[in-house]
Amino acid sequence: MAGSDKIALAFSGGLDTSVAVPWLIENYDAEVECVVVDVGQGLEDLDGIEERARAAGAAGCHVVDVRDAFVEEFIWPTLRASAIYGRKYLLGTAMARPIIAREVVRVARQVGATGLSHGCTGKGNDQVRFELTFAWLAPDLDVIAPWREWDIRGRKDAEAYARRAGVPLPPARTSMYSRDRNVWHISHEGGPLEDPTTMPDQDMFLFSVDPRTAPPEGETVEIGFENGTPVSVNGERMSALALLERLNEIGGRHGVGRVDLVEDRIVGLKSRGVYETPGGTLLYAAHRELEQLVLDRRTLELKDEVAMRYARLVYEGRWWGTEKEALDALIDVTQRYVNGSISFFLCRGNLSVAGRSSSTGLYREEYATFESSSLYDHADATGFIRLFGLPYRLAGQARLEDVQETGAEPERAPDPGEMAGSDWLD
Amino acid sequence: MAGSDKIALAFSGGLDTSVAVPWLIENYDAEVECVVVDVGQGLEDLDGIEERARAAGAAGCHVVDVRDAFVEEFIWPTLRASAIYGRKYLLGTAMARPIIAREVVRVARQVGATGLSHGCTGKGNDQVRFELTFAWLAPDLDVIAPWREWDIRGRKDAEAYARRAGVPLPPARTSMYSRDRNVWHISHEGGPLEDPTTMPDQDMFLFSVDPRTAPPEGETVEIGFENGTPVSVNGERMSALALLERLNEIGGRHGVGRVDLVEDRIVGLKSRGVYETPGGTLLYAAHRELEQLVLDRRTLELKDEVAMRYARLVYEGRWWGTEKEALDALIDVTQRYVNGSISFFLCRGNLSVAGRSSSTGLYREEYATFESSSLYDHADATGFIRLFGLPYRLAGQARLEDVQETGAEPERAPDPGEMAGSDWLD
Amino acid sequence: MAGSDKIALAFSGGLDTSVAVPWLIENYDAEVECVVVDVGQGLEDLDGIEERARAAGAAGCHVVDVRDAFVEEFIWPTLRASAIYGRKYLLGTAMARPIIAREVVRVARQVGATGLSHGCTGKGNDQVRFELTFAWLAPDLDVIAPWREWDIRGRKDAEAYARRAGVPLPPARTSMYSRDRNVWHISHEGGPLEDPTTMPDQDMFLFSVDPRTAPPEGETVEIGFENGTPVSVNGERMSALALLERLNEIGGRHGVGRVDLVEDRIVGLKSRGVYETPGGTLLYAAHRELEQLVLDRRTLELKDEVAMRYARLVYEGRWWGTEKEALDALIDVTQRYVNGSISFFLCRGNLSVAGRSSSTGLYREEYATFESSSLYDHADATGFIRLFGLPYRLAGQARLEDVQETGAEPERAPDPGEMAGSDWLD
Amino acid sequence: MAGSDKIALAFSGGLDTSVAVPWLIENYDAEVECVVVDVGQGLEDLDGIEERARAAGAAGCHVVDVRDAFVEEFIWPTLRASAIYGRKYLLGTAMARPIIAREVVRVARQVGATGLSHGCTGKGNDQVRFELTFAWLAPDLDVIAPWREWDIRGRKDAEAYARRAGVPLPPARTSMYSRDRNVWHISHEGGPLEDPTTMPDQDMFLFSVDPRTAPPEGETVEIGFENGTPVSVNGERMSALALLERLNEIGGRHGVGRVDLVEDRIVGLKSRGVYETPGGTLLYAAHRELEQLVLDRRTLELKDEVAMRYARLVYEGRWWGTEKEALDALIDVTQRYVNGSISFFLCRGNLSVAGRSSSTGLYREEYATFESSSLYDHADATGFIRLFGLPYRLAGQARLEDVQETGAEPERAPDPGEMAGSDWLD
């Protein structure tokens, strides 16, 4: 690149990306345009960030608030897909990366940048997620990942480099943890958590109170859905972002939504993370509860399989492309019927179903009773079971013939009775 | 059947099966041999049951305690498979039916019965589960399902029939609920629960305390596994049955393991059930936590897919046969590495991971840090991401060429940027 | 039903449904409205069919030609889904049943019928397919399946009944086979085919010549697709029906498209069928060839999984409802890119790819060569393999440490080397 | 590495690996031990190969014939899994790489080598397959991939290097194609095949005759299986290798087993290959035909899903480890019943089923007829269909109520009748 080149850098204001600015200028002889994408990191992170960018040497700093789009275009689809990674993780960091990377590309196009950069380390998931979005949206631009190129190996190296480059150090991070925060969740990694045998201290948690100290009287909350999308809390319609923030407050004050997980990173390593997702946990639980009420079993089974695939796709940063769009189209059809509301009683970390309501529900009290009706004649069950079990009867018959004819070990199938003693069929 | 025929009846001692005895004698001109299979229903159910069987007219009554086999041969395999139905249900009733039916067949063979019978209604799951086991183990015997044949339509009809037949009525069931209990769980159905908008009363629960009234100080419990099978609690090795009973106590006193579910029955209806599985909930959570630590991601993914298939199989009573054996063989291989122990801190319904330990774990603290090492060079990530994302770059490239050449809508793929405004790529 | 009731009967003009007319009148005291749905059974079947219906006693006979809709609404979606049952069967009969049943319901609504009937036997698939469509479209109407009710047990019984009822016998079927024919395929079952050890006679086949006697010079055919839908043959655009008929001729004269299959019926039995689908075989092959060229591997993998699910759904008559619509929505997205054409050289039953062409293809000759380029640097492979294989290296490392430390059997994983002798690692 | 280091090199005797020997000596200051693994490349390739290795500068050359192990340990398991990649490819090259790599490691251990090397290019699949086996069996050894390191960019560069290093050039390859041959298949890539619009010339094929010129009288062949493993041809038992060679002859002389495929490489590119697998094609077809006869539908469905997973695993070189072992264990159970024989009539590229025979088959002629029996009562179908279709009837009912009550668009589900005109339900 020539000296007139520009590089768009995903900028967080932290030490890592503050150091990246002079390093990119020095090593790529380029102007650096910082892009700050607000997905709900919290005010303290964004305050004065433009000044920090310029102090680090950036030619420009572009702050974009995409919180609404983040909830509507990234979080809601993932929720509707019931996507969960590693059986527990609600994908808070994974969903944020494609939208941040998209905004970096958008700015890059506006300013005519020829390079894209980010501050992710070489051992984590986020580098993959950033660069897959870059590859999809801007295959013509160069990608520069300073952490995989430079010699800086830790906080001390970075501070030394900053001092040499005349970059003011950001307020010292006093935390032992590496954190990622947005409107959906906060994650905690590193430090004492790297030892999987230790339980996190209560003072690590930031989005939720200790369940033991939550209000003993609890609280009931009702969440309303239209076509699988959350639209109301306790009967009050509100915007996507406001709804999520409301549920974060409610869930958080009852200690709901903590997860402690050993997970498999994209790059082939296992790592341990702790997540707080109070509102998201309520939303996932409510959405699934409503689906159980309104979707037929085959559609539920299909959705369960799709959910695992969707979760891997989101986790691995493969947010764009045909597979994603195809899955979304499938899910959209299923969500036509996901209308109604679910109530939970929250108390000290516990979440109990307090009510289900849907006009499109397939559950009907009159069918559930054990009486016959025009829709269900008990006698039907006889024929059903006989044909449902026909392959069993055929195989059982073959097995029995073998036993009777040969007196020997049945060839057709092992005798399940043997599990509890071999002589009982005599 | 001739008058000398014998029918083996799965006998619970309740009103339904007590009435079935004289009904079978009258309608099939047969002797009835009652089979009482103890899977942990509770002493009150089994006390004096032989007398009740004979009082109802049975020629014989065979009480079999299969609790150990139930845990070892039916519960542990389902746990190792991580099988969960309807996203929540730990399959307590479903697992019990095949072993009960197996014992009925066993007795039928011993006494030379030509017919098999049970007291399940015509609208539920259990008739299917019983009769599939019958079809597999005894395709040569007749199956009689009184509830699908007789005119008795409810409790009053049954009591009237009992009085006419001179059968002493069992102690009146005062409960509003239809329940099924064994060493693994207790289920509650019917009555007020048929209304999905109502939350169950606290006094319905029998295996677990109200989480709000559980001891505030909580308790830590450690569960040890060998080859995926639980072997110890708090370091003390014990038998399968004792271990499960111990965990039921521990979980129950902290209010752990309640589930409220609208589920899809085999026969095509939705129904609502509430389950208490305190020990089982601890076991599932611990087993999965350990698997996350020791299994590689592809094996975990394989297991997650198998788990859904296994759960449907168990729920639908398809316990026997090639598919089941094949899945068990697959799971056995994966469980070779599931050795170690998991600790939970239980407090007022909450379950937090308090420790993980395994000598066969793939998680290692030294890999998890963000430093390079001989095993992991940060530079490797560059090549990895470039090839992992290559199809993205190719498709992105094609898309871009379309845009540039034609100025028109890209043919290759919709522009994801459009989601946030159509003009930004210019 | 009262005497003024009407029953709409799916009428084929064969002996079975001809006998059903007087039987329904006699047993249900109803008027019978025959519905003849033309899906391409062939002229000889439809000629004079109205007269035959009236001669059998029908109050009315409604002939509907739905061949275009059959191809466009039923065959094309199944083709686009790549759905194949039992690894070979292209679902010709299964796809026809829902459209026939839909037309029967349509007529029933027009004439105000209260009952629906068909002539399917009680052991086959078609009864299920008919009645599932009836259940979906007309849950309020009664369903009458004469073959499951009456005492007629075979051709002789039916002929006797016809004579008694004064119904003129349809032209005697001289064939040994039970056949189903439409614009997509012809199936052959029964008679000598019930013996799975025998090969069908050449004179059984009706849609395709013996490959051995096909023209030795062969023929090249090019099939064009738009959005996954076939639109042209040899460059000539034509209607869906005309295109299929053209390909049937071409495939048939080269002996392409025969399948001999032992399959699993919905009702739990295995049966053997032989199918001829000459045009369909060309279409499936061309469509899949084109997909390999234009879809990325993850989308292909997704489609392959969906194809199996879709095939079961079609085979089992579950054509309607959320699962089907959701799968179609998914497939629609994938088919946006399936544009282009595939040529085959056909010769004596063989089908060789003679050309592939697509403007949306992901295959590009310049990438396929073994040279480096801006898109692909050979050095990238090093990092890719190291991280792709990282879990392997970690597990291998653990295994090795076990061997070295203990000298014993590795705990982590069995030694693959043992397969070829246990001592070689020394 | 120090000068006394040794590198074990997978040696093929071709130009690529011949040049690698002096390059490794020069660049790594090491001794090179060549390992020639015979998987059936053909005599011309192995003749004089030790001399060529030494002439290139190798310190040693180890020729190992693993053809028997290749068939028994690698091909048979893949066949039993029904694994097919890209819908057509029988995995001939993919299966060979792990066994070759295993033998290289074996020799490396014997001679005390510290490095492992191979001659695969940086854009293909084989480098991944080799190095994954290396990572699993020898994570402690270095891996050197000359093609990703050196400057040699094609045949001319390599010849120049060889001349400079004094290495005698191997006999000039006159072929335009890049080929891989073993006892299972031969593959053709590159040259004119890189243009996907061209059909290969007949003289490219080496394992099979042009179907058009195959003997017009055809030939019948019977293949016998025990537990899913092929054991006999035309009733004659023979060793695995002999059996495969016999079937290659038979299939080849009738022009069976050619495949032309655009496939997705592991590294993210599409490529085009042509494969000849005459014996393998017969074996796959026979094995699947037998499975259809003896396995129940659920096991078949399970196997079909596993087959896709297994194929990806083999294609991607992930031959070792828990997932592979777990899948093999599952398949082993299913294959217990795969006993019997299948006959084909082969004629001019066509393969028709000429007979099926199994003592463990679930197909029985007496069940297949349309008569009732003790195992199958036609009346059972009524109840079966009613419950199988119950969710349909419930959903249809809800839809109908919506239409009737509101006169509006049904909320529950789109009206399938609309596909053929919106007014017909009136």
Side-chain angles (χ1 to χ4, degrees), chain B residues 294-310:
Chain B
V294 300
L295 295 181
D296 66 277
R297 62 183 159 183
R298 291 189 189 272
T299 302
L300 284 169
E301 181 190 318
L302 172 61
K303 273 212 75 197
D304 282 348
E305 291 185 18
V306 160
M308 296 202 302
R309 180 179 281 274
Y310 203 99

Side-chain angles (χ1 to χ4, degrees), chain B residues 354-389:
Chain B
R356 304 165 174 92
S357 161
S358 172
S359 64
T360 45
L362 289 177
Y363 178 92
R364 296 197 179 186
E365 207 169 337
E366 69 261 33
Y367 305 155
T369 64
F370 287 88
E371 302 302 311
S372 275
S373 68
S374 68
L375 274 163
Y376 192 105
D377 181 345
H378 283 208
D380 291 340
T382 303
F384 174 75
I385 296 170
R386 282 184 58 85
L387 297 201
F388 187 71

